Amino acid sequence: MKKNISTAILLISLAISQSAFSQIYSFENGIVPEDWKADKGTLSISSEKYKSGTQSLQINWKQGDILTIPSPAGISEACKSKNGGMNVWIYNESPIKEKIVFSFRNEAEKEVCQLPFLLNFKGWRCIWAKFQGDMNMPSKSSIQSVEIQFPQHTQKGVTYIDLLEFTPKVSWQNMSDAQYKVNRTDYSLIPDFTGYRNAIPKVEKVITDKDDQITVITNRLTAWYLGSEQQSSEKWVKMRKENEKVFIQNGLKAAQKIKIQYNEDRTPKGEPLFPMGAPSTIDGIEAKKFRTINENILLPLALDYRKNKNAQSLKKALYIYDWFNDQGWADGSSMGTLCFEKLRSSGYFHSFFLLKDQLSPEQLERELQSLNWFTMFGICYQLPSHPGEVADNLRALAIPKLIYTLSQNKIQEREVALTAFKHYMDNALGIAPGFFGTFKADFSGYHHRGPYNSAYYPHALYAGALIAYLLHDTPYALSETTLHNLKQGLLTFRFFCAGLDVPAGTVGRFPKGQQILETLLPAFAYTALSFKEPDKELTAAFKRILESSDNKQAITEYISNVNSNLAYTSTVGEIELMAQLASTSITKEKPVTGTLFMPYSGLLVAKDSLFHFNIKGFSRYIWDFESSATENTKGRYLAYGQIEYFDLKNRHKSFNPQEPDFDWNYIPGATTKVLPDKILQDKGGSSSGHRNFSDETFLTGVYASDKNAMFSFRMHDITYDQSFRANKSVFVFEDFLFCLGSDIQTKDKRYPTVTTLFQSFSRNTGEERIPEGYILTDPSLMYAVKGGAVRTSCEGSHTRAYIEHGNAPEAAKYHYYILKNKNKVLARQLLSNESPIEVIAQDNDAHIVTHKTKEITCGALFNAQKTYDGQLVSQVNIPLSYILEKQKDNSFKLSVCEPDMRRISHAHMGLLTEEDVIQQEKPYDTRLTINGLYNVKSPQKPVEVSLDREKDKTYITISTIRGENYTLLLQQADN
């Protein structure tokens, strides 16, 4: 479904769909079409108002007037298309509470559909409306003429029309506004702006302002923008200030092109402005966008006035607000669509806060209404039945929503709005169900219905943390639960980062955008300072990141980058708060080590002081990859069992998409078919071409201890080749990773199937063939492969090493080790008959291995119908994975992961309905049968235990949910 196309594709396709301007009525020829007739009024070409070029059609209408347009250009093709309809810009001079009606008529002059359009505005408005989809025109109808019927009760008026087009491709992004309605019921990408606008500003219990605490919040926000001068000598504060000066200077330079011009009636005479949804060129003329001024001019003007008292900057900014309003930037105006406009308007939102005290009462009220509309503040009065929020709405609109609350004229209005906002933020930062964003139960962060750590989620974390700081220690402070979620979100983020880099399998469509953690340093500061005393864990983590010499350049670049594009964050106050937290006496944390499985990301993280590993899969609940027309076009295999490593000491890493020769067929750890580029980039298989799910629920990870963990999943491609399957497991031990694969199969005979060991861009690689298999090295690790057909391909310094499974394998396997310390003696031992590793099962039923020396058994049990008589865990009632560790007192620690979320899914994200997205996960009574008699306890939750002394069996039942890990402690029972 179209709603799921990525942002880049959306903007490109929108420009294309709106660019068929060969049939547009722009009136630039200066002639009223000769067959256009008004019953009572007059038609003329005017240079007073225009939305493109220099002219438009002026209609001086009278009561009950009708303008008839016979056989308009493009109408025939527009009728034939399901998405056909009308695009037009309309200027109204005098607001009235009446409508004009566009009436579309067939050859018999019978009306086949109509579109009422309310004239309760002054300025420009835009219509994007489909005949069939929005006006309910029966399919196969034809339109021969169009009537514009003017109000029946108002004596006369003046209306201008420009850029009228009847097109077969009205954008799917069109939305209702205060003037007209479209038939949109899916609000997943384009929210219900009109519904939120009409929300009643009411809350159940108003939180009253105590001791003028709203002023405290306002002052904090003001200091965040302007700085407090308390840290003015700090080097990073100085650096931010200097770069802010450049930002202001560049904005003032760009603003020189804007001339302050008003008509006699005080309407601005500025050139036409267009929303992001408009094409870049209209009728051969470059379309100037609101976004350009929002990003480059408005905020520099506001900062220049507040910091340098430049009255000319204030005057120009106030003119821009008037100009924007006249051009359609107004309450209730969709300008066609606000799908992405709301995300790129930070300059407007933030400049308003800085200048609101300088606006006239009329301007202030007007812009407050616009702010309510563009920020969708009404959602705060209509909280959903479930927690969570779309990351876009948090990162771009959380602060603007707060600005709206603080700008209310009356104290009672501020109290109601702030109460609603507090409740909204507490709900938005709650643990969301299903595929919904943003926080998940394991503190993955979702956007586009999946884990997204390169963008969106970190921005939402930032916005939530800043709100927490601004509201803390006031009656409107966010809840303790929300603070906990922010804290755990940040600590988890720093855990799965290697240095500053997020896992490659969670980068969405930005594979080169892994470095992100430095941008969250302010969020650590905001959240830490939101507690009564600076939080020790957050501060310690913050200091370790901040004080690392490896991060110095990235942090410096972050401080130096001042802009106001998507979400304005680059303020002096931001750096001051970082400096404040850095000055505390809390010591930095030690390097973070350990293991963690994140079921909502399909990700196992294992890290020690030298290496960081990320192991990634996809399933019925975790999509494979995201792309766009130009981004990540070859990323199909990112979640096909990728084993990503970072050599923290020597600064090597396994995933190097920045290298021109990086081969996307050979993702380390992944089992793939080696495809030509033209096929690897093919979008076939689903209507969206990306964000595809499997039909397999088995994607597990067990983190038994800091040094022992396992990852296992059943891979099935249901998008490109439904015969392509594999069972893949990785067992993490202290010195090495053991990789096991089975039942690798595909019916595709055209292309070879491989499992990649490594892909290196260093000459420091090696290969040795021994009777038991192969020993290979890349710059950081050693690979010991038992049996199989290992192949290497070298071109200059680029080396690919992989296990070849042949074309159309039926039940291929692999068995190899990744050694952290390049210990060839250990490698040979692992491949020999004296190996400490024993493979008990490697088939389509299970992967079970034992580390005999450490007395650890790891099992991935795919088949719940099978019995494993020789194992302590002999049977289960649902597929799961486990790690069994023998303790010194002959007891056992059994760690379990049962992965099924038990909620609906589909072949790809585009098929998920809004109801599907919020479906809750369901618990399951998981039963394990243990050979022997044991007393069993779990530190997490109650368990049911029954002993069958006759059969010498112990039956354990535990309620499992969300792919979480559970620990069972087994103590031998008395006979």
Side-chain angles (χ1 to χ4, degrees):
M1 292 173 65
K2 289 181 178 177
K3 67 177 182 178
N4 303 302
I5 307 173
S6 64
T7 303
I9 283 188
L10 291 175
L11 297 179
I12 292 169
S13 65
L14 179 58
I16 292 172
S17 70
Q18 298 285 294
S19 64
F21 280 94
S22 58
Q23 301 179 33
I24 197 170
Y25 290 99
S26 63
F27 309 103
E28 290 304 302
N29 62 3
I31 301 173
V32 177
E34 61 180 0
D35 54 353
W36 290 29
K37 304 296 181 183
D39 284 357
K40 303 176 182 179
T42 61
L43 307 178
S44 61
I45 303 301
S46 171
S47 59
E48 287 294 312
K49 308 292 180 185
Y50 47 87
K51 200 58 177 173
S52 181
T54 59
Q55 298 179 128
S56 68
L57 177 69
Q58 180 176 333
I59 308 167
N60 291 71
W61 52 267
K62 295 182 180 179
Q63 184 177 357
D65 211 345
I66 296 177
L67 167 60
T68 302
I69 307 174
S71 303
I75 198 72
S76 177
E77 290 302 313
C79 287
K80 295 175 183 177
S81 170
K82 181 180 179 181
N83 295 314
M86 176 180 67
N87 299 328
V88 64
W89 282 90
I90 299 173
Y91 191 95
N92 190 47
E93 282 198 339
S94 301
I96 57 174
K97 293 182 180 180
E98 286 196 76
K99 298 174 181 178
I100 59 173
V101 177
F102 291 86
S103 176
F104 301 91
R105 298 174 177 268
N106 61 18
E107 290 183 356
E109 298 187 1
K110 179 181 178 182
E111 183 178 85
V112 295
C113 63
Q114 66 166 233
L115 182 75
F117 183 81
L118 190 61
L119 294 177
N120 62 341
F121 66 93
K122 179 178 181 180
W124 284 103
R125 295 295 185 270
C126 182
I127 296 175
W128 288 356
K130 302 176 184 179
F131 293 138
Q132 294 183 35
D134 299 320
M135 305 181 216
N136 300 317
M137 182 185 81
S139 62
K140 299 182 180 180
S141 297
S142 64
I143 297 174
Q144 187 63 34
S145 64
V146 180
E147 289 185 358
I148 304 179
Q149 302 167 358
F150 289 90
Q152 296 291 323
H153 304 290
T154 302
Q155 288 188 351
K156 62 181 180 178
V158 180
T159 301
Y160 301 82
I161 289 179
D162 207 352
L163 300 181
L164 172 63
E165 179 188 20
F166 299 100
T167 172
K169 293 183 179 180
V170 172
S171 171
W172 64 271
Q173 296 180 55
N174 66 339
M175 56 175 272
S176 299
D177 66 13
Q179 275 62 61
Y180 73 107
K181 293 181 180 181
V182 303
N183 289 331
R184 177 171 294 281
T185 57
D186 175 13
Y187 298 113
S188 59
L189 183 60
I190 305 171
D192 184 11
F193 278 82
T194 303
Y196 298 143
R197 179 178 184 263
N198 296 333
I200 299 173
K202 184 179 180 181
V203 293
E204 285 189 8
K205 185 177 180 181
V206 179
I207 301 173
T208 56
D209 183 17
K210 298 177 181 177
D211 302 322
D212 206 16
Q213 290 293 292
I214 294 179
T215 300
V216 171
I217 299 169
T218 301
N219 291 341
R220 281 177 184 158
L221 183 54
T222 302
W224 181 75
Y225 286 112
L226 304 178
S228 64
E229 301 300 325
Q230 294 178 2
Q231 306 279 347
S232 58
S233 62
E234 210 280 337
K235 63 177 182 178
W236 281 339
V237 174
K238 288 182 178 179
M239 188 184 303
R240 173 56 61 83
K241 286 184 175 181
E242 289 302 312
N243 286 283
E244 184 183 66
K245 288 180 182 178
V246 174
F247 172 67
I248 293 172
Q249 290 166 1
N250 290 337
L252 296 184
K253 184 177 179 180
Q256 291 175 2
K257 298 179 182 179
I258 298 174
K259 306 302 179 186
I260 299 176
Q261 303 176 84
Y262 286 95
N263 292 312
E264 290 183 3
D265 63 355
R266 289 299 296 168
T267 57
K269 293 178 65 175
E271 62 184 303
L273 290 175
F274 290 89
M276 288 174 61
S280 58
T281 303
I282 300 176
D283 217 26
I285 300 173
E286 182 180 358
K288 193 178 188 71
K289 304 293 181 75
F290 291 103
R291 174 181 175 180
T292 302
I293 298 167
N294 263 328
E295 291 189 353
N296 302 324
I297 296 174
L298 257 177
L299 191 53
L301 290 173
L303 289 169
D304 186 45
Y305 173 72
R306 290 300 301 266
K307 294 203 166 193
N308 304 318
K309 310 304 179 186
N310 187 336
Q312 289 304 310
S313 289
L314 172 63
K315 187 176 181 181
K316 186 158 288 188
L318 297 184
Y319 165 76
I320 289 173
Y321 294 149
D322 291 342
W323 176 29
F324 268 31
N325 180 263
D326 190 63
Q327 287 296 315
W329 188 277
D331 170 39
S333 169
S334 70
M335 300 183 289
T337 184
L338 299 178
C339 182
F340 296 106
E341 200 78 45
K342 65 185 172 70
L343 305 179
R344 297 286 179 176
S345 304
S346 65
Y348 169 76
F349 297 136
H350 295 287
S351 67
F352 169 80
F353 179 80
L354 293 171
L355 300 180
K356 61 185 175 64
D357 293 339
Q358 308 304 317
L359 272 63
S360 69
E362 294 77 18
Q363 282 179 313
L364 179 62
E365 183 58 31
R366 183 190 73 197
E367 298 308 323
L368 272 175
Q369 291 176 2
S370 298
L371 207 66
N372 177 58
W373 167 251
F374 282 104
T375 65
M376 305 185 297
F377 190 84
I379 194 175
C380 299
Y381 302 116
Q382 298 179 349
L383 293 185
S385 59
H386 58 84
E389 175 59 291
V390 177
D392 266 340
N393 294 339
L394 286 170
R395 64 177 181 157
L397 299 179
I399 298 300
K401 280 184 173 70
L402 177 61
I403 289 170
Y404 175 77
T405 70
L406 298 176
S407 304
Q408 297 301 301
N409 290 313
K410 298 178 181 178
I411 181 61
Q412 294 87 352
E413 293 173 346
R414 287 196 293 275
E415 289 175 339
V416 170
L418 261 175
T419 301
F421 177 69
K422 173 221 166 14
H423 294 326
Y424 163 79
M425 288 302 300
D426 278 333
N427 186 77
L429 298 173
I431 304 301
F435 293 101
F436 199 64
T438 295
F439 278 132
K440 311 309 294 181
D442 63 352
F443 294 101
S444 295
Y446 266 31
H447 193 61
H448 297 162
R449 315 311 186 204
Y452 220 122
N453 294 324
S454 62
Y456 303 108
Y457 175 49
H459 304 156
L461 260 179
Y462 183 107
L466 178 55
I467 293 295
Y469 168 74
L470 294 171
L471 300 184
H472 84 276
D473 200 26
T474 74
Y476 306 97
L478 300 185
S479 70
E480 291 184 8
T481 299
T482 301
L483 275 183
H484 168 80
N485 290 346
L486 287 167
K487 175 180 175 178
Q488 290 307 122
L490 289 165
L491 292 176
T492 303
F493 204 102
R494 74 83 162 82
F495 183 89
F496 60 61
C497 279
L500 301 174
D501 288 6
V502 299
T506 65
V507 294
R509 67 182 185 277
F510 307 114
K512 297 179 183 179
Q514 284 187 268
Q515 182 183 302
I516 201 74
L517 184 58
E518 75 278 8
T519 68
L520 279 176
L521 279 169
F524 279 85
Y526 301 148
T527 308
L529 294 172
S530 298
F531 291 86
K532 291 183 179 180
E533 297 291 335
D535 183 83
K536 292 183 179 179
E537 285 183 272
L538 286 168
T539 305
F542 168 85
K543 285 194 171 183
R544 180 182 59 81
I545 301 166
L546 191 70
E547 295 174 14
S548 170
S549 58
D550 296 329
N551 301 339
K552 184 176 181 180
Q553 181 179 350
I555 294 170
T556 299
E557 289 175 356
Y558 176 77
I559 294 169
S560 302
N561 184 13
V562 178
N563 65 73
S564 61
N565 49 28
L566 195 150
Y568 176 59
T569 61
S570 40
T571 70
V572 173
E574 173 194 69
I575 304 303
E576 287 184 340
L577 291 169
M578 288 173 59
Q580 179 182 335
L581 190 65
S583 67
T584 61
S585 59
I586 299 169
T587 58
K588 67 179 180 181
E589 68 181 359
K590 295 179 181 178
V592 183
T593 61
T595 60
L596 180 66
F597 176 62
M598 304 183 72
Y600 287 89
S601 293
L603 176 73
L604 178 74
V605 182
K607 58 197 300 179
D608 57 28
S609 60
L610 298 177
F611 285 95
H612 178 116
F613 291 93
N614 299 313
I615 308 166
K616 182 73 172 71
F618 70 105
S619 72
R620 192 168 187 259
Y621 310 110
I622 310 292
W623 45 248
D624 51 358
F625 78 111
E626 181 182 76
S627 67
S628 73
T630 58
E631 300 158 313
N632 199 32
T633 57
K634 301 179 188 178
R636 182 191 302 189
Y637 295 139
L638 282 172
Y640 276 53
Q642 177 179 187
I643 302 175
E644 178 186 25
Y645 79 72
F646 295 84
D647 179 345
L648 303 176
K649 179 180 179 181
N650 300 304
R651 301 289 173 261
H652 296 308
K653 60 179 184 176
S654 60
F655 183 68
N656 295 287
Q658 74 283 355
E659 294 285 349
D661 295 327
F662 184 76
D663 194 327
W664 291 86
N665 284 297
Y666 296 93
I667 304 284
T671 297
T672 64
K673 295 192 305 180
V674 180
L675 303 172
D677 277 358
K678 64 179 181 179
I679 295 179
L680 186 62
Q681 296 184 85
D682 178 28
K683 297 295 187 290
S686 69
S687 62
S688 61
H690 62 163
R691 304 175 188 146
N692 308 294
F693 298 104
S694 166
D695 56 357
E696 294 282 357
T697 62
F698 198 93
L699 197 171
T700 65
V702 183
Y703 48 106
S705 68
D706 285 353
K707 298 177 181 179
N708 300 319
M710 68 169 289
F711 173 92
S712 184
F713 85 116
R714 288 170 69 90
M715 189 184 89
H716 186 203
D717 171 10
I718 64 171
T719 301
Y720 304 99
D721 175 5
Q722 294 192 10
S723 69
F724 189 25
R725 294 178 175 271
N727 299 322
K728 297 173 64 66
S729 298
V730 180
F731 306 96
V732 179
F733 300 109
E734 184 173 2
D735 298 322
F736 58 87
L737 280 66
F738 177 34
C739 305
L740 204 64
S742 71
D743 295 275
I744 301 166
Q745 56 186 281
T746 173
K747 294 179 180 178
D748 190 344
K749 299 178 180 179
R750 296 168 297 171
Y751 307 109
T753 301
V754 304
T755 297
T756 298
L757 299 170
F758 65 83
Q759 185 177 175
S760 171
F761 291 88
S762 168
R763 296 183 185 274
N764 185 18
T765 62
E767 177 184 0
E768 179 183 354
R769 176 73 188 269
I770 62 174
E772 296 82 6
Y774 301 81
I775 298 176
L776 304 94
T777 56
D778 71 7
S780 297
L781 299 169
M782 178 173 284
Y783 303 81
V785 186
K786 188 166 185 176
V790 172
R791 302 285 184 262
T792 57
S793 172
C794 300
E795 298 173 10
S797 61
H798 182 204
T799 302
R800 293 168 298 192
Y802 53 92
I803 303 169
E804 194 170 61
H805 305 302
N807 293 41
E810 294 182 2
K813 299 182 177 183
Y814 61 79
H815 173 140
Y816 71 94
Y817 303 86
I818 302 175
L819 287 75
K820 300 178 185 179
N821 54 12
K822 290 190 175 182
N823 184 335
K824 188 174 286 189
V825 174
L826 177 58
R828 288 179 177 273
Q829 181 190 12
L830 289 168
L831 296 180
S832 73
N833 293 331
E834 305 301 320
S835 173
I837 299 298
E838 178 185 359
V839 178
I840 297 166
Q842 184 185 3
D843 52 36
N844 204 34
D845 292 322
H847 288 173
I848 303 175
V849 304
T850 294
H851 194 308
K852 294 180 288 186
T853 306
K854 295 183 178 295
E855 297 187 281
I856 298 173
T857 298
C858 306
L861 308 183
F862 312 131
N863 184 355
Q865 308 304 315
K866 189 173 176 64
T867 300
Y868 302 93
D869 291 327
Q871 300 302 308
L872 193 73
V873 180
S874 65
Q875 195 170 14
V876 294
N877 68 339
I878 190 170
L880 56 78
S881 287
Y882 70 86
I883 294 180
L884 181 72
E885 300 170 288
K886 190 172 184 179
Q887 307 296 297
K888 292 181 180 179
D889 60 356
N890 288 325
S891 64
F892 292 94
K893 176 186 174 185
L894 180 60
S895 303
V896 176
C897 175
E898 179 274 302
D900 197 346
M901 299 283 184
R902 285 172 288 279
R903 50 182 166 86
I904 200 164
S905 183
H906 293 286
H908 62 83
M909 193 195 88
L911 299 176
L912 292 170
T913 67
E914 292 187 61
E915 291 74 21
D916 295 338
V917 165
I918 61 172
Q919 192 176 85
Q920 294 278 357
E921 298 78 1
K922 300 176 183 65
Y924 183 80
D925 285 339
T926 295
R927 190 184 194 197
L928 299 92
T929 302
I930 306 297
N931 279 328
L933 302 177
Y934 293 90
N935 296 318
V936 184
K937 293 181 180 180
S938 172
Q940 289 134 312
K941 59 169 55 180
V943 294
E944 293 181 14
V945 181
S946 63
L947 305 181
D948 188 332
R949 298 183 183 276
E950 183 178 337
K951 294 183 179 180
D952 195 31
K953 304 283 187 184
T954 300
Y955 303 103
I956 306 169
T957 302
I958 183 170
S959 179
T960 57
I961 192 171
R962 294 187 290 265
E964 294 174 355
N965 270 220
Y966 299 95
T967 300
L968 301 171
L969 303 175
L970 281 61
Q971 188 77 42
Q972 218 160 23
D974 296 334
N975 289 327

